Each structure stands twice: as C-alpha cells, then as structure tokens.
Amino acid sequence: MPQNEYEAKFLNIDVDAVRAQLRTAGAQLVFDKTMFTRLIFENDAVQGEQWLRLRDEGGKTTLTLKQVSDATTINGTTEIEIEVDSLDKTAELLKATGLRQVRYQQNYREEWQLGDIKYDLDTWPDLPTFIEIEGPSEDAVRKAVADLGFDYAQARYGSIDLIYKSEMGRDILAESTLLFE
C-alpha cells in the first residue's frame, strides 16, 4: 500500500552552517557524502507522474514506485519501496517484464538523523547542494524545519525535475542521463 512521503526541500542553504546546526542539535551523521545512482523505468502503465526508481544508495539498493499527485504540498507524493539485493539483476528483471529504462541519474547524498527525522544534503549535477527534511508526518517536518530556522513557506516538494525546471529552465525528464562530469 502506498505511503505518504513527508519531505520538504530547501534550496540556497549554507551547507557548513546546516551541518554545524545539526551537530549542535545532536543529530547523528548516518553516512558521509555518497554517490547514489538511479535507474528510472517506465512503460505504458507506469509513466508521467508515476515511475519506478531502482537506486544504488552506496551499500543498499532499493526499488521504489513513486507517484506525485500534487507537487505543491508536502503530502502530494506517495511511494512503495522495497530493498533488493542486486541493482543489475533487478534491472534485468524489470526489463524482462517490458519496462524500459528511460533515465540514468547520479547524485551525492549525505544523511543525518535526529529522532525520526532524516536530513539529507543532496548534490545533483549543476545544482548547488540543498537540504531535504523527511519525517513521519507534516507536523514533524514543520517542527524540524523551524528548529533549523528555515521558512516553511519556502519549502519545495515533488521530484527533482521540478527544481531543475524552476532553477535552470532545464527539462531533465527529456535527458536519458544526468551525470557528474
């Protein structure tokens, strides 16, 4: 059953200041800056605002069905996620069922945790590092946002393609690869 994903992104951050705030608040570094790779799959049934993401998280591999119903609200994205043991074999299985790999993407992520809140410092090709704050509910995320001194009205939601479109005028959904040089 799909679960709501409660996360808010904040652009234009001072990364060193955020790290210092997280340390001071007692957050624990879950993992240092790590390269993530993702393969995005679609077919006639899975397309548009719904897609399958197969992601290597630097030691853990997940397969996720993501669906964005409203990219303007914190509760507009749902997901179903499972852990798989092989990126290559899972990709082979998905292709054998008729799914097409439409994109290959890279990003770096550094993850911190405080209680049930995850703080991800994400770096994508050609974008400045931003923070994604994820929790079990909208109220929990709002509190975490306030604790860091961010303005909740400036939060961004939805998938990364919306940030590329608004910040760079770039349609990464039309690009088969999104890689660091």
Side-chain angles (χ1 to χ4, degrees), residues 1-37:
M1 172 179 224
Q3 295 184 26
N4 273 11
E5 180 179 63
Y6 297 101
E7 63 184 27
K9 298 172 185 67
F10 293 87
L11 310 180
N12 306 312
I13 64 166
D14 179 333
V15 175
D16 292 331
V18 168
R19 281 190 190 112
Q21 285 180 278
L22 291 170
R23 277 189 205 96
T24 299
Q28 300 298 310
L29 179 64
V30 177
F31 55 83
D32 279 318
K33 188 174 181 179
T34 301
M35 170 73 77
F36 280 24
T37 57

Side-chain angles (χ1 to χ4, degrees), residues 41 52 54 63 82 84-100:
F41 290 87
L52 279 170
L54 179 58
L63 177 63
I82 61 170
V84 295
D85 65 0
S86 169
L87 182 102
D88 293 334
K89 285 185 180 187
T90 305
E92 185 179 331
L93 182 143
L94 294 173
K95 289 173 186 173
T97 64
L99 287 157
R100 296 179 309 279

Side-chain angles (χ1 to χ4, degrees), residues 31-38 53-64 79 81-83 87 107 109 111 118:
F31 55 83
D32 279 318
K33 188 174 181 179
T34 301
M35 170 73 77
F36 280 24
T37 57
R38 63 184 40 72
R53 177 191 70 202
L54 179 58
R55 181 168 72 183
D56 177 347
E57 302 175 6
K60 175 177 146 182
T61 304
T62 59
L63 177 63
T64 308
E79 66 179 15
E81 184 170 273
I82 61 170
E83 193 168 335
L87 182 102
N107 78 301
R109 174 168 285 177
E111 186 167 288
K118 288 194 306 186

Side-chain angles (χ1 to χ4, degrees), residues 9-176:
K9 298 172 185 67
F10 293 87
L11 310 180
N12 306 312
I13 64 166
D14 179 333
V15 175
D16 292 331
V18 168
R19 281 190 190 112
Q21 285 180 278
L22 291 170
R23 277 189 205 96
T24 299
Q28 300 298 310
L29 179 64
V30 177
F31 55 83
D32 279 318
K33 188 174 181 179
T34 301
M35 170 73 77
F36 280 24
T37 57
R38 63 184 40 72
L39 308 176
I40 306 299
F41 290 87
E42 294 178 352
N43 70 8
D44 294 337
V46 181
Q47 59 186 350
E49 295 300 313
Q50 186 179 41
W51 65 94
L52 279 170
R53 177 191 70 202
L54 179 58
R55 181 168 72 183
D56 177 347
E57 302 175 6
K60 175 177 146 182
T61 304
T62 59
L63 177 63
T64 308
L65 175 65
K66 307 253 315 173
Q67 183 166 10
V68 177
S69 59
D70 185 352
T72 65
T73 65
I74 193 168
N75 60 352
T77 301
T78 58
E79 66 179 15
I80 302 170
E81 184 170 273
I82 61 170
E83 193 168 335
V84 295
D85 65 0
S86 169
L87 182 102
D88 293 334
K89 285 185 180 187
T90 305
E92 185 179 331
L93 182 143
L94 294 173
K95 289 173 186 173
T97 64
L99 287 157
R100 296 179 309 279
Q101 180 186 324
V102 294
R103 285 182 288 290
Y104 175 85
Q105 301 169 327
Q106 297 176 328
N107 78 301
Y108 285 99
R109 174 168 285 177
E110 174 184 326
E111 186 167 288
W112 292 76
Q113 184 143 6
L114 180 60
D116 54 5
I117 304 293
K118 288 194 306 186
Y119 301 87
D120 295 327
L121 296 171
D122 282 351
T123 307
W124 286 77
D126 305 317
L127 286 177
T129 298
F130 61 89
I131 191 167
E132 186 176 271
I133 302 171
E134 182 175 357
S137 67
E138 180 176 357
D139 288 341
V141 172
R142 281 181 177 273
K143 181 182 180 327
V145 167
D147 289 348
L148 281 181
F150 292 122
D151 178 1
Y152 193 77
Q154 299 300 310
R156 304 286 294 276
Y157 313 104
S159 55
I160 188 67
D161 62 291
L162 300 174
I163 293 174
Y164 273 95
K165 191 158 287 208
S166 69
E167 300 305 302
M168 302 181 70
R170 182 172 167 185
D171 181 9
I172 63 167
L173 298 181
E175 300 177 30
S176 62

